[in-house]
Amino acid sequence: QTVSTFHQAFHADLEVLCALSKVDLEHAQKDDVKKQLAGLCAVPADEVIEVSGKTGQGVPALLEAIIERVPPPPGTAEAPFKALLFDAYYDNTRGVVLLVAVRDGELKRGGKIYCTYSKKSYSVQEMGILYPGPRPLDNLRSGQIGFIMVGAKDIRSFRVGETVFADGGHKTGEPFP
């Protein structure tokens, strides 16, 4: 699975960081696995980051590498709000929860969104990020991954892959393909 994911990322021309995990384990064959990863990723073995989630070893180096080498998501902060709906689920107390990747602009709590599948506008009741559970915010901005709740009760009104605009933005903006 890991090799398959690597190949998908490589063919999509994404930045790939090589990290060796579970280095705290007694039986870890760090040197052999580092050589294999270095060969797979075509990087020197000393660029493979050794990490342990259990002890925290190497985590600061991994985070620093992510900041330095992974480019920011595409998008324009000054453009009208536009997001990709990548998942949705039904919460018994709050209704439909939309999970979105914000490409452009900013959306504020209380604002309105337009969904291209249902061709309906909705008032935003709550929004935020998952950190790791729901953490309410007053706005979502370009580059963020978050959730939007609009009080909808029928999840069939939304489709994964649809574009979510600020209300009115659909008239001038292009939806995602």
Side-chain angles (χ1 to χ4, degrees), residues 84-133:
L84 175 69
L85 175 65
F86 66 86
D87 202 1
Y89 63 92
Y90 187 80
D91 181 289
N92 287 331
T93 58
R94 296 179 170 167
V96 178
V97 179
L98 308 176
L99 300 179
V100 298
V102 181
R103 172 76 176 255
D104 296 321
E106 179 179 25
L107 181 67
K108 296 181 186 223
R109 184 192 318 249
K112 287 191 166 221
I113 60 169
Y114 176 85
C115 295
T116 56
Y117 175 76
S118 65
K119 298 185 180 356
K120 290 184 180 176
S121 294
Y122 301 91
S123 292
V124 176
Q125 296 177 351
E126 190 172 337
M127 64 171 49
I129 57 173
L130 301 175
Y131 191 72

Side-chain angles (χ1 to χ4, degrees), residues 146-169:
F147 66 89
I148 299 174
M149 294 182 214
V150 296
K153 300 296 180 198
D154 188 359
I155 197 165
R156 295 173 297 180
S157 298
F158 306 94
R159 287 288 182 260
V160 169
E162 77 173 294
T163 304
V164 178
F165 289 102
D167 196 29

Side-chain angles (χ1 to χ4, degrees), residues 48-66:
V48 177
I49 303 165
E50 294 184 16
V51 181
S52 168
K54 184 176 181 180
T55 68
Q57 175 189 342
V59 172
L62 180 61
L63 292 173
E64 190 62 36
I66 291 169

